[in-house]
């Protein structure tokens, strides 16, 4: 059963791109299953840096078929721009397939995302304002337009007219904005985008299941992370899709029994962007060291990320929700100079001990971590490539995490380059 899922286990930015890139070398298909053009992978190949937000990074490997699955929301202009950017640099994108069932991000989604965030003011969610949330909302309320609608101008126009009438009312009456023109949208989507995207549109559910049946190797690549999951994350500070393993199933149409490996990517410490609970957050010099050494600034916004100690309580939950088979622990090298390293093994909330994440958000907000403390290794790990060369303090830390999570840490990252990792 050759299907592997790679997903984030924390609040994102764990270094999924690096693992995906490493594994893609042995894959036939690399598939995105949720999210939109907010994934932000940067992959460096032969010194050249490629910034991809929508197209799976597997596109850089000529032996891989990159697929945008049905669970993704597609901004057609971004898709075309990424294709053009890659082609201009000599990357062949002709193997790319896009699910006809994937939903389209429309100009009114972007506009609504912008105005609602502004309207919410200090209560805003900090969305990327790219229309991703509103596109998923329309999918749920069944007024979304799908990639396959680009193939049928009459249907496209009919659906657009119905939905735009309501969107324009909201824009005008609630937010005091100018209405959008159906003619202009149709001209862009049908006249400009459809001819470019049409050759890529596929029945990806059939394609991927046929691939599974014929023994091909597939990698399902998650964007964002477990605690940003719409159902399992720290709602409402979450994304509008399901990055967890369940999302990989619905977002591709590949059956559960075909999944052989589910690799959770976890940073050796913890970061979070924007608001929401974060029990192990650090406000001292250790927190600043994590920001500086880990270059913890948002890829798109440049915003400083919040940082803290590794939280084994969260990881235990992530292991359960996703049925993790392996953990890839990234950025262990960031902890190199630390004299002590801490791990949260439980929480104290209102005088009560919790060994799992409190389901009630009001309780979780008050969680005070119970730490286990380790001596740091205080040496440079960046050149280590073998388990036997890891200092005993680092091994002790890794083994403790495996034990706490209940899933083996099978790989650790010791630097940003593709070859900077150690198999455990
Ligand atoms: P994603 O959002 O989870 O896909 O995260 P990325 O793949 O964009 O990785 C975030 C950053 O961490 C990138 O700049 C990577 O080069 C860097 N990175 C990944 N693994 C390691 C590691 O083991 N050590 C260090 N120091 N940096 C790493």
């Amino acid at each position: 059963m050759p299907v592997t899922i790679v997903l984030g286990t924390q609040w994102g930015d764990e270094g999924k791109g690096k693992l995906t890139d490493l594994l893609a070398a042995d894959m036939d298909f690399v598939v995105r299953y949720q999210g939109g053009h907010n994934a932000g992978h940067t992959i460096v190949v032969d010194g050249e840096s490629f910034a991809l937000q929508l197209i799976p990074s597997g596109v850089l490997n000529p032996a891989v078929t990159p697929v945008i699955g049905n669970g993704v929301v597609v901004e057609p202009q971004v898709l075309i721009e990424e294709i053009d950017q890659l082609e201009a640099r000599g990357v062949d994108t002709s193997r790319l397939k896009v699910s006809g069932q994937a939903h389209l991000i429309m100009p009114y989604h972007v506009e609504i995302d912008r105005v609602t965030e502004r309207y919410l003011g200090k209560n805003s969610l900090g969305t990327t304002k790219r229309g991703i949330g509103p596109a998923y909302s329309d999918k749920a309320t069944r007024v979304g337009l799908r990639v396959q609608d680009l193939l049928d101008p009459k249907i496209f126009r009919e659906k657009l007219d119905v939905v735009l009438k309501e969107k324009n009312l909201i824009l005008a009456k609630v937010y005091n904005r100018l209405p959008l023109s159906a003619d202009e949208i149709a001209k862009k989507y049908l006249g400009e985008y459809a001819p470019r995207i049409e050759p890529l549109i596929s029945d990806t559910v059939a394609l991927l299941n046929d691939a599974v049946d014929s023994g091909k190797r597939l990698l399902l690549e998650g964007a964002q992370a477990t605690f940003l999951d719409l159902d399992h994350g720290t709602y409402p500070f979450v994304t509008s899709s399901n990055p967890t393993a369940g999302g990989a199933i619905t977002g591709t149409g590949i059956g559960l029994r075909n999944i052989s490996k589910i690799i959770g990517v976890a940073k050796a410490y913890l970061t979070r962007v924007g608001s929401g609970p974060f029990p192990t957050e650090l406000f001292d010099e250790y927190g600043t060291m994590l920001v500086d050494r880990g270059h913890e600034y948002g890829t798109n916004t440049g915003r400083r990320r919040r940082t803290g100690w590794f939280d084994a309580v969260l990881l235990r939950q992530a292991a359960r929700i996703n049925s993790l088979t392996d953990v890839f622990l990234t950025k262990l090298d960031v902890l190199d100079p630390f004299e002590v390293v801490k791990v949260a093994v439980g929480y104290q909330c209102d005088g009560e001990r919790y060994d799992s994440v409190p389901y009630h958000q009001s309780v979780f907000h008050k969680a005070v971590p119970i730490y286990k403390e380790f001596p740091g290794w205080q040496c440079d790990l960046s050149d280590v490539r073998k388990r036997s060369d890891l200092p005993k303090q680092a091994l002790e830390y890794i083994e403790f995490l495996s034990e706490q999570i209940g899933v083996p840490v099978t790989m650790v990252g010791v630097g940003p380059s593709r070859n900077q990792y150690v198999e455990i």
Side-chain angles (χ1 to χ4, degrees), residues 4 6 18-27 30 219 263 411:
T4 301
V6 168
K18 180 169 144 179
L19 181 63
T20 310
D21 185 37
L22 267 173
L23 296 177
D26 294 320
M27 295 290 163
V30 177
L219 178 64
I263 309 177
M411 252 168 114

Side-chain angles (χ1 to χ4, degrees), residues 90 92 101 112 170 235-236 251 260 289 311 324 352 407-408 410:
D92 173 21
Q101 280 161 262
I112 287 171
I170 296 170
Y235 193 89
S260 48
M289 266 168 86
D311 189 336
L324 296 183
E352 223 181 294
V407 174
T410 52

